[in-house]
Amino acid sequence: MKIKKNDLILALLVFVGISILLYPTISNKWNAYRNSKLISQYKKNVSSLSKEKAASMIEAAKKYNQTLGTPKVPDAFSIRDGKRDKQYDSLINMGDGMMGYVEVPSIDVNLPLYHYTFDSVLLKGAGHLFGSALPVGGESTHSVVSAHRGLPSEKMFTDLNLVEKGDQFYFHILGQVFAYQVDRIQVIEPSDVKYLSIEYKKDYATLVTCTPYGVNTQRLLVRGHRIPYNKNAKVNKKHDTAVSYIFLQIVSAIAGVFAAIVIYYVYRHRFRKER
């Protein structure tokens, strides 16, 4: 049976419409899989290090943190115009720019953690803000980690607004886990960076994303203070996701179905005219 050209075009365009429908779900699943593979490879690379080597890398990062003093931290999504720092690049770096991964159990987040907050970095995971302390703990330190919210292709920090005081998040760095318990949640203007500064003898970490969802004119800060890591700590799971993210998926689904129907009827009508 010979397949006609019109039938092939119709099938192709219907496929495009269905792809639009499924894009958010499939893309999010794929990126979650990719993240799990990156994290798995990171763990494998770390396991190949001797304990002495890993400990020395952590110690070098802590010494670096003590040289920071109390710098004026820029906006948490500052990209520094692509400028890099060789010393910073070399610290807790396994060779690919990945310094570890950030875990937020209450919203099922596991994201690779990279140096800097360049656009290219934030499209593939979380970024550590250059100028803030590296996420290895210590007195008088404050680590700042940023990630996008509401990308069509991946959730990342989309559900960060669901995190509550008392929840915990973790930085997995070179085989060690640095645990933080949320003690402050606030929305600020991008220029209001005083809440990202170091406080004397305090060990803080802050997760940052844009807000309101889809508008991105402000910053949502979720700060935690350092606590001992307990792998058996109770997790208060938040199973809901951002309403706007669900709306985006619904819109994509409707658009896909509508596109497929319109394409089908247009080409059926054209085929009948040709006959």
Side-chain angles (χ1 to χ4, degrees):
M1 180 179 177
K2 187 176 180 181
I3 300 177
K4 296 182 180 180
K5 182 180 177 181
N6 282 348
D7 292 337
L8 284 174
I9 294 174
L10 175 59
L12 177 61
L13 292 176
V14 170
F15 173 76
V16 171
I18 293 173
S19 297
I20 295 172
L21 185 157
L22 297 175
Y23 172 73
T25 300
I26 293 177
S27 181
N28 186 56
K29 293 291 185 184
W30 165 252
N31 282 303
Y33 170 76
R34 183 209 63 185
N35 289 341
S36 69
K37 295 293 286 184
L38 286 171
I39 290 170
S40 178
Q41 184 60 49
Y42 175 80
K43 290 178 179 178
K44 184 178 179 180
N45 293 342
V46 169
S47 67
S48 68
L49 295 175
S50 67
K51 290 184 178 180
E52 292 75 15
K53 177 62 175 176
S56 69
M57 292 174 71
I58 294 285
E59 188 60 30
K62 288 183 175 180
K63 287 182 178 179
Y64 170 82
N65 285 346
Q66 295 308 312
T67 68
L68 294 177
T70 54
K72 179 176 174 58
V73 177
D75 169 27
F77 281 89
S78 171
I79 61 173
R80 304 179 66 244
D81 298 323
K83 296 178 181 178
R84 307 185 76 95
D85 181 273
K86 288 184 179 181
Q87 182 186 14
Y88 171 71
D89 281 338
S90 68
L91 295 165
I92 53 175
N93 191 339
M94 294 297 294
D96 57 359
M98 186 172 168
M99 62 172 66
Y101 62 100
V102 55
E103 178 187 5
V104 190
S106 61
I107 55 173
D108 289 320
V109 163
N110 281 281
L111 285 178
L113 177 58
Y114 297 92
H115 294 72
Y116 301 108
T117 50
F118 299 154
D119 284 340
S120 57
V121 167
L122 296 178
L123 287 174
K124 61 183 181 180
H128 171 260
L129 180 64
F130 177 78
S132 72
L134 289 163
V136 293
E139 285 189 351
S140 303
T141 62
H142 193 159
S143 301
V144 181
V145 169
S146 305
H148 279 313
R149 187 181 186 209
L151 293 180
S153 58
E154 189 173 2
K155 283 172 60 177
M156 293 193 175
F157 276 180
T158 294
D159 291 340
L160 192 61
N161 62 303
L162 300 177
V163 173
E164 301 172 342
K165 288 183 179 179
D167 289 348
Q168 297 179 20
F169 59 89
Y170 311 115
F171 298 129
H172 296 260
I173 310 292
L174 296 173
Q176 295 191 36
V177 184
F178 301 89
Y180 291 83
Q181 185 172 59
V182 177
D183 57 23
R184 186 168 71 188
I185 301 171
Q186 60 192 140
V187 173
I188 64 168
E189 297 300 319
S191 59
D192 191 7
V193 296
K194 63 179 179 289
Y195 296 106
L196 303 179
S197 297
I198 292 170
E199 293 186 27
Y200 181 63
K201 288 196 173 182
K202 300 293 185 181
D203 187 341
Y204 288 139
T206 296
L207 306 180
V208 184
T209 195
C210 292
T211 197
Y213 184 97
V215 180
N216 302 337
T217 54
Q218 296 175 299
R219 303 289 181 258
L220 171 63
L221 309 185
V222 175
R223 191 192 72 178
H225 62 273
R226 179 85 179 277
I227 60 171
Y229 174 59
N230 176 9
K231 64 179 180 180
N232 297 316
K234 183 178 179 181
V235 177
N236 180 22
K237 290 277 188 179
K238 280 75 174 178
H239 295 291
D240 294 331
T241 191
V243 173
S244 299
Y245 186 77
I246 295 174
F247 178 74
L248 176 64
Q249 291 184 308
I250 293 173
V251 168
S252 295
I254 293 173
V257 171
F258 180 76
I261 292 173
V262 169
I263 291 167
Y264 174 75
Y265 278 103
V266 165
Y267 272 84
R268 191 176 74 165
H269 177 69
R270 180 175 298 180
F271 178 69
R272 286 177 175 177
K273 286 183 67 177
E274 289 177 356
R275 290 186 61 185

Short mmCIF file of all heavy atoms in Angstrom, two decimals, residues 43-77:
data_model
loop_
_atom_site.label_atom_id
_atom_site.label_comp_id
_atom_site.label_asym_id
_atom_site.label_seq_id
_atom_site.Cartn_x
_atom_site.Cartn_y
_atom_site.Cartn_z
N LYS A 43 28.95 11.01 42.88
CA LYS A 43 29.22 10.12 44.02
C LYS A 43 30.33 9.12 43.68
O LYS A 43 31.21 8.84 44.51
CB LYS A 43 27.95 9.37 44.43
CG LYS A 43 26.88 10.24 45.06
CD LYS A 43 25.65 9.40 45.38
CE LYS A 43 24.56 10.20 46.05
NZ LYS A 43 23.35 9.37 46.32
N LYS A 44 30.28 8.61 42.46
CA LYS A 44 31.29 7.65 42.02
C LYS A 44 32.66 8.31 41.98
O LYS A 44 33.67 7.72 42.43
CB LYS A 44 30.92 7.12 40.64
CG LYS A 44 31.86 6.04 40.11
CD LYS A 44 31.39 5.52 38.76
CE LYS A 44 32.34 4.46 38.21
NZ LYS A 44 31.88 3.94 36.89
N ASN A 45 32.73 9.54 41.47
CA ASN A 45 34.00 10.26 41.41
C ASN A 45 34.54 10.55 42.81
O ASN A 45 35.74 10.42 43.06
CB ASN A 45 33.83 11.57 40.65
CG ASN A 45 33.53 11.36 39.18
OD1 ASN A 45 33.76 10.28 38.64
ND2 ASN A 45 33.00 12.38 38.53
N VAL A 46 33.64 10.93 43.71
CA VAL A 46 34.06 11.22 45.09
C VAL A 46 34.57 9.96 45.77
O VAL A 46 35.56 10.00 46.52
CB VAL A 46 32.88 11.83 45.89
CG1 VAL A 46 33.22 11.89 47.39
CG2 VAL A 46 32.56 13.23 45.37
N SER A 47 33.92 8.83 45.51
CA SER A 47 34.33 7.57 46.15
C SER A 47 35.73 7.14 45.71
O SER A 47 36.39 6.36 46.41
CB SER A 47 33.33 6.46 45.85
OG SER A 47 33.35 6.12 44.46
N SER A 48 36.18 7.67 44.57
CA SER A 48 37.52 7.32 44.10
C SER A 48 38.61 8.13 44.80
O SER A 48 39.79 7.82 44.68
CB SER A 48 37.61 7.54 42.58
OG SER A 48 37.54 8.92 42.26
N LEU A 49 38.20 9.18 45.51
CA LEU A 49 39.16 9.98 46.26
C LEU A 49 39.51 9.31 47.58
O LEU A 49 38.66 8.65 48.19
CB LEU A 49 38.60 11.38 46.56
CG LEU A 49 38.31 12.31 45.39
CD1 LEU A 49 37.64 13.58 45.92
CD2 LEU A 49 39.59 12.66 44.64
N SER A 50 40.70 9.51 48.04
CA SER A 50 41.04 9.04 49.38
C SER A 50 40.38 9.96 50.40
O SER A 50 40.05 11.12 50.09
CB SER A 50 42.56 9.06 49.59
OG SER A 50 43.04 10.40 49.58
N LYS A 51 40.16 9.46 51.61
CA LYS A 51 39.54 10.28 52.65
C LYS A 51 40.40 11.50 52.95
O LYS A 51 39.89 12.59 53.23
CB LYS A 51 39.34 9.44 53.92
CG LYS A 51 38.27 8.37 53.79
CD LYS A 51 38.07 7.64 55.12
CE LYS A 51 36.97 6.59 54.99
NZ LYS A 51 36.75 5.86 56.27
N GLU A 52 41.71 11.30 52.88
CA GLU A 52 42.64 12.41 53.15
C GLU A 52 42.50 13.50 52.10
O GLU A 52 42.49 14.70 52.43
CB GLU A 52 44.08 11.90 53.21
CG GLU A 52 44.41 10.99 54.37
CD GLU A 52 43.85 9.58 54.21
OE1 GLU A 52 43.46 9.23 53.06
OE2 GLU A 52 43.82 8.84 55.22
N LYS A 53 42.38 13.11 50.83
CA LYS A 53 42.24 14.07 49.75
C LYS A 53 40.94 14.85 49.86
O LYS A 53 40.92 16.09 49.73
CB LYS A 53 42.30 13.35 48.40
CG LYS A 53 42.09 14.25 47.19
CD LYS A 53 43.16 15.30 47.06
CE LYS A 53 42.99 16.11 45.78
NZ LYS A 53 43.97 17.22 45.67
N ALA A 54 39.83 14.14 50.11
CA ALA A 54 38.54 14.79 50.26
C ALA A 54 38.56 15.77 51.43
O ALA A 54 38.05 16.89 51.34
CB ALA A 54 37.44 13.75 50.44
N ALA A 55 39.16 15.34 52.55
CA ALA A 55 39.23 16.19 53.74
C ALA A 55 40.06 17.43 53.48
O ALA A 55 39.71 18.54 53.93
CB ALA A 55 39.81 15.40 54.92
N SER A 56 41.14 17.29 52.73
CA SER A 56 41.99 18.45 52.43
C SER A 56 41.27 19.44 51.52
O SER A 56 41.46 20.65 51.65
CB SER A 56 43.30 17.99 51.79
OG SER A 56 43.09 17.47 50.49
N MET A 57 40.43 18.93 50.61
CA MET A 57 39.67 19.81 49.73
C MET A 57 38.62 20.59 50.52
O MET A 57 38.39 21.78 50.27
CB MET A 57 39.02 18.99 48.62
CG MET A 57 40.01 18.39 47.63
SD MET A 57 39.24 17.26 46.41
CE MET A 57 38.32 18.43 45.40
N ILE A 58 37.99 19.91 51.48
CA ILE A 58 37.02 20.59 52.35
C ILE A 58 37.73 21.65 53.18
O ILE A 58 37.25 22.79 53.33
CB ILE A 58 36.32 19.59 53.29
CG1 ILE A 58 35.44 18.61 52.49
CG2 ILE A 58 35.51 20.31 54.35
CD1 ILE A 58 34.15 19.19 51.98
N GLU A 59 38.89 21.32 53.71
CA GLU A 59 39.65 22.25 54.55
C GLU A 59 40.07 23.48 53.74
O GLU A 59 40.03 24.61 54.25
CB GLU A 59 40.88 21.56 55.13
CG GLU A 59 41.62 22.38 56.17
CD GLU A 59 40.76 22.76 57.37
OE1 GLU A 59 39.84 22.00 57.72
OE2 GLU A 59 41.01 23.84 57.95
N ALA A 60 40.47 23.28 52.48
CA ALA A 60 40.86 24.41 51.63
C ALA A 60 39.67 25.35 51.40
O ALA A 60 39.83 26.58 51.38
CB ALA A 60 41.39 23.89 50.29
N ALA A 61 38.48 24.76 51.24
CA ALA A 61 37.28 25.58 51.06
C ALA A 61 36.96 26.37 52.33
O ALA A 61 36.57 27.54 52.26
CB ALA A 61 36.09 24.69 50.68
N LYS A 62 37.14 25.75 53.49
CA LYS A 62 36.88 26.45 54.76
C LYS A 62 37.87 27.61 54.97
O LYS A 62 37.49 28.69 55.45
CB LYS A 62 36.97 25.46 55.93
CG LYS A 62 35.79 24.50 55.98
CD LYS A 62 35.87 23.58 57.19
CE LYS A 62 34.63 22.70 57.29
NZ LYS A 62 34.65 21.80 58.45
N LYS A 63 39.12 27.38 54.59
CA LYS A 63 40.11 28.46 54.70
C LYS A 63 39.76 29.62 53.77
O LYS A 63 39.91 30.79 54.13
CB LYS A 63 41.51 27.92 54.38
CG LYS A 63 42.09 27.03 55.48
CD LYS A 63 43.49 26.56 55.11
CE LYS A 63 44.09 25.70 56.23
NZ LYS A 63 45.45 25.19 55.89
N TYR A 64 39.28 29.28 52.59
CA TYR A 64 38.85 30.30 51.64
C TYR A 64 37.70 31.12 52.24
O TYR A 64 37.67 32.36 52.13
CB TYR A 64 38.42 29.64 50.34
CG TYR A 64 37.74 30.57 49.35
CD1 TYR A 64 38.48 31.39 48.51
CD2 TYR A 64 36.35 30.61 49.26
CE1 TYR A 64 37.85 32.24 47.60
CE2 TYR A 64 35.71 31.45 48.37
CZ TYR A 64 36.47 32.26 47.54
OH TYR A 64 35.84 33.10 46.64
N ASN A 65 36.76 30.43 52.87
CA ASN A 65 35.62 31.13 53.46
C ASN A 65 36.05 32.15 54.50
O ASN A 65 35.44 33.22 54.64
CB ASN A 65 34.66 30.12 54.09
CG ASN A 65 33.83 29.37 53.07
OD1 ASN A 65 33.77 29.76 51.90
ND2 ASN A 65 33.21 28.28 53.49
N GLN A 66 37.08 31.84 55.25
CA GLN A 66 37.53 32.74 56.30
C GLN A 66 38.20 33.99 55.74
O GLN A 66 38.36 34.98 56.45
CB GLN A 66 38.49 32.02 57.25
CG GLN A 66 37.84 30.89 58.04
CD GLN A 66 36.57 31.32 58.77
OE1 GLN A 66 36.55 32.36 59.45
NE2 GLN A 66 35.49 30.55 58.61
N THR A 67 38.57 33.95 54.46
CA THR A 67 39.17 35.14 53.84
C THR A 67 38.11 36.09 53.30
O THR A 67 38.42 37.21 52.89
CB THR A 67 40.09 34.75 52.67
OG1 THR A 67 39.31 34.21 51.59
CG2 THR A 67 41.12 33.72 53.12
N LEU A 68 36.86 35.65 53.29
CA LEU A 68 35.80 36.47 52.70
C LEU A 68 35.42 37.64 53.58
O LEU A 68 34.98 38.68 53.08
CB LEU A 68 34.56 35.61 52.42
CG LEU A 68 34.71 34.52 51.37
CD1 LEU A 68 33.42 33.71 51.27
CD2 LEU A 68 35.06 35.11 50.01
N GLY A 69 35.57 37.49 54.89
CA GLY A 69 35.12 38.55 55.78
C GLY A 69 33.62 38.74 55.65
O GLY A 69 32.87 37.77 55.63
N THR A 70 33.19 39.97 55.50
CA THR A 70 31.76 40.26 55.31
C THR A 70 31.60 41.10 54.04
O THR A 70 31.32 42.29 54.09
CB THR A 70 31.18 41.01 56.52
OG1 THR A 70 31.99 42.18 56.77
CG2 THR A 70 31.17 40.13 57.75
N PRO A 71 31.81 40.48 52.87
CA PRO A 71 31.71 41.23 51.62
C PRO A 71 30.27 41.62 51.32
O PRO A 71 29.32 41.03 51.83
CB PRO A 71 32.23 40.24 50.58
CG PRO A 71 31.84 38.91 51.15
CD PRO A 71 32.01 39.05 52.64
N LYS A 72 30.12 42.60 50.47
CA LYS A 72 28.78 42.98 50.00
C LYS A 72 28.37 41.98 48.93
O LYS A 72 28.91 41.98 47.83
CB LYS A 72 28.77 44.40 49.45
CG LYS A 72 27.39 44.83 48.93
CD LYS A 72 27.41 46.27 48.48
CE LYS A 72 26.09 46.66 47.82
NZ LYS A 72 24.93 46.46 48.70
N VAL A 73 27.45 41.09 49.27
CA VAL A 73 27.00 40.07 48.33
C VAL A 73 26.06 40.71 47.32
O VAL A 73 25.15 41.45 47.69
CB VAL A 73 26.28 38.93 49.09
CG1 VAL A 73 25.76 37.91 48.11
CG2 VAL A 73 27.23 38.30 50.08
N PRO A 74 26.25 40.43 46.03
CA PRO A 74 25.37 41.01 45.01
C PRO A 74 24.03 40.28 44.96
O PRO A 74 23.80 39.34 45.70
CB PRO A 74 26.16 40.79 43.72
CG PRO A 74 26.95 39.55 43.99
CD PRO A 74 27.31 39.60 45.46
N ASP A 75 23.17 40.74 44.09
CA ASP A 75 21.90 40.06 43.85
C ASP A 75 22.16 38.58 43.59
O ASP A 75 23.10 38.21 42.90
CB ASP A 75 21.22 40.70 42.63
CG ASP A 75 20.02 39.90 42.12
OD1 ASP A 75 19.40 39.21 42.93
OD2 ASP A 75 19.74 39.99 40.92
N ALA A 76 21.32 37.73 44.16
CA ALA A 76 21.55 36.28 44.12
C ALA A 76 21.47 35.69 42.73
O ALA A 76 21.81 34.53 42.53
CB ALA A 76 20.55 35.58 45.03
N PHE A 77 21.03 36.46 41.74
CA PHE A 77 21.05 35.98 40.36
C PHE A 77 22.02 36.79 39.52
O PHE A 77 21.94 36.81 38.30
CB PHE A 77 19.64 36.01 39.75
CG PHE A 77 18.80 34.86 40.20
CD1 PHE A 77 18.03 34.94 41.34
CD2 PHE A 77 18.79 33.67 39.50
CE1 PHE A 77 17.25 33.88 41.76
CE2 PHE A 77 18.02 32.59 39.91
CZ PHE A 77 17.26 32.70 41.05
#
